[in-house]
Amino acid sequence: MVRVIDGDTLEVRGDGEVLPRDTVARVRLLEIDTPERGACFADEATARTATLLPPGSHIRAERDVELTDRYDRYLLYVWNAHGTFVNESLVRSGHAEAVLYPPNNKYWTRISDAENAAQQARAGLWTASPEQPETSTSPPDSPDSAPDTPARPDLPDGPPAGAPDVDCSDLPGPSWVGPDDPHRLDRDGDGIGCEAD
């Protein structure tokens, strides 16, 4: 283990089994998603991953159908030196959500069951960032009820919704994510993801 980048992204030195020997590779934990840096509960998720995978520790990694994504990250399941299945542990403790990106689904039942348990226990992010219901005082047909859509700036498109989860550290700079923002890259809601603070 070299370092934790954020709750679901690591740098790991390869041992020649799954990762090339003596190379430092960026690893994206499969079937999970943690909050982006700056978002509610992101610091807690990153800290939990760092506790499970301290720098210098040994890990066991396992691949699924696809080994890498289009960002050249290795897509892996990881166990720490104590035998803890880190992907599942982060979901069960409420530090991550279960997210499926087919065809990589080897542990989906186990990880989605962990999410159900975390939700029932109201663990971690399931209570840390309660979503506020949207309320409107305008009648449905009034011009004031139209959603604010930011003007599209001259920026590259962000990653599509079907891509394995992407973090700002995977992109070269700001990108247009629009109002949907499937990877939660837009902290201030203006349609632009990964803006510098």
Side-chain angles (χ1 to χ4, degrees):
M1 215 11 245
V2 176
R3 73 181 178 115
V4 170
I5 296 170
D6 61 26
D8 53 31
T9 311
L10 326 164
E11 282 187 348
V12 176
R13 185 172 306 282
D15 64 1
E17 290 186 32
V18 177
L19 301 174
R21 180 174 296 283
D22 295 327
T23 61
V24 175
R26 188 165 284 200
V27 170
R28 175 64 169 77
L29 297 174
L30 277 170
E31 298 185 21
I32 73 167
D33 185 33
T34 60
E36 277 298 310
R37 261 185 238 142
C40 181
F41 213 66
D43 291 343
E44 292 85 348
T46 300
R48 179 65 184 152
T49 302
T51 298
L52 290 167
L53 299 169
S57 65
H58 292 281
I59 67 164
R60 181 173 70 84
E62 187 177 316
R63 63 172 289 171
D64 205 328
V65 176
E66 296 175 337
L67 180 58
T68 60
D69 65 12
R70 67 184 189 148
Y71 303 99
D72 294 323
R73 298 177 300 184
Y74 286 84
L75 305 173
L76 300 175
Y77 304 103
V78 172
W79 286 258
N80 68 14
H82 303 289
T84 301
F85 182 18
V86 174
N87 308 54
E88 178 189 22
S89 178
L90 289 167
V91 172
R92 187 169 299 282
S93 64
H95 289 90
E97 295 178 73
V99 179
L100 180 62
Y101 293 102
N104 296 318
N105 63 3
K106 186 172 188 175
Y107 292 102
W108 179 244
T109 300
R110 188 170 167 178
I111 290 174
S112 60
D113 286 349
E115 181 178 78
N116 291 338
Q119 287 175 332
Q120 288 175 2
R122 300 189 53 76
L125 59 83
W126 299 110
T127 56
S129 304
E131 293 198 9
Q132 301 299 319
E134 292 184 20
T135 58
S136 173
T137 56
S138 304
D141 294 334
S142 78
D144 293 337
S145 66
D148 284 338
T149 303
R152 183 181 170 120
D154 185 24
L155 289 171
D157 286 338
D165 187 53
V166 175
D167 301 324
C168 288
S169 61
D170 299 313
L171 302 176
S175 61
W176 173 251
V177 296
D180 292 337
D181 190 22
H183 298 281
R184 299 188 313 261
L185 303 173
D186 182 11
R187 292 188 349 206
D188 59 8
D190 65 356
I192 301 171
C194 304
E195 294 172 280
D197 292 332

